[in-house]
Amino acid sequence: MCWFRRGRRHRMGNVSKVREKVEVKLRWDPSPFGQPPRHLDIIAATYSSNDPYGRPVYVVHYDSRSPDGTISMIRDSRTGLGFGFVEVMVLELDRMAPSFGRVVVGVAIHQDGGTRTFGDIAHAGVVVVEKYTELLTNDFTQVAGSNAATVAEFTRDDRSGEWEFHEMIRGFDGTPAAFTAHMGSAPQT
């Protein structure tokens, strides 16, 4: 069975109010010449207000978008080729139905051509921004031995309806499918 890597604790570092659209941007260097492409994906999982740590209501990744159009990929790369951030996901939290209380965002490495971890991917990095405000910048160093990681959590306040951003860097070992099933699980203490 695949679990979050031991020793990686749920970290509630940066906490910020989020009012509108948030972008999650991902970058990495392409594979060296002659090696299979390295393919990373941004993944978002949504959770209901009634069950914020249960099964995701839906999951969004490179091959999908949310049913209501509030989460979508606007840039996708399967190789890392390009300048700057080559994959971008937009989350329009202000448009999400009140039935949603939590969104968790992570990054998974496709394991085509052999097992890879973040330590094997040159210059990988993720940024979370709201307009011109950087909420998170991370280079996956603390999860270098993992092949997937959560990076951010957005939670909705039951009373005000406002969304908050929480930094949530947790490494994961397993397949991308297992990661999407477990990425929003309650932190192990």
Side-chain angles (χ1 to χ4, degrees):
M1 188 170 273
C2 305
W3 295 101
F4 284 97
R5 185 174 278 280
R6 291 185 191 268
R8 307 291 184 218
R9 294 199 175 261
H10 185 261
R11 200 170 120 200
M12 298 295 245
N14 301 330
V15 176
S16 304
K17 296 281 185 201
V18 176
R19 290 177 178 74
E20 295 179 22
K21 255 188 242 190
V22 175
E23 290 186 354
V24 180
K25 301 177 180 186
L26 182 63
R27 72 173 192 291
W28 70 96
D29 282 356
S31 300
F33 182 73
Q35 291 188 14
R38 294 180 176 159
H39 182 189
L40 281 68
D41 274 327
I42 301 170
I43 300 169
T46 60
Y47 300 87
S48 74
S49 298
N50 297 333
D51 195 10
Y53 292 96
R55 297 184 131 222
V57 176
Y58 60 81
V59 176
V60 178
H61 51 80
Y62 74 94
D63 205 17
S64 65
R65 66 179 277 172
S66 63
D68 59 3
T70 58
I71 302 176
S72 59
M73 295 291 295
I74 61 169
R75 187 176 301 156
D76 177 43
S77 174
R78 296 181 186 214
T79 63
L81 289 170
F83 295 105
F85 295 98
V86 295
E87 189 154 309
V88 179
M89 178 180 277
V90 175
L91 296 89
E92 296 181 63
L93 299 169
D94 59 326
R95 289 187 39 230
M96 290 188 95
S99 60
F100 292 101
R102 185 169 176 250
V103 178
V104 176
V105 178
V107 175
I109 304 169
H110 284 261
Q111 299 300 311
D112 304 330
T115 303
R116 292 196 180 102
T117 65
F118 287 107
D120 300 324
I121 309 294
H123 300 107
V126 63
V127 174
V128 179
V129 297
E130 181 183 24
K131 292 189 179 182
Y132 299 105
T133 303
E134 261 185 29
L135 303 173
L136 166 76
T137 301
N138 192 279
D139 65 3
F140 302 105
T141 302
Q142 70 258 47
V143 291
S146 300
N147 57 23
T150 58
V151 295
E153 173 186 57
F154 300 91
T155 57
R156 181 181 285 186
D157 182 282
D158 291 338
R159 291 175 298 228
S160 70
E162 290 184 332
W163 287 92
E164 281 188 347
F165 161 82
H166 305 271
E167 180 179 332
M168 189 170 88
I169 309 297
R170 293 193 299 173
F172 183 83
D173 297 322
T175 66
F179 175 60
T180 59
H182 294 286
M183 66 189 275
S185 62
Q188 307 264 325
T189 54

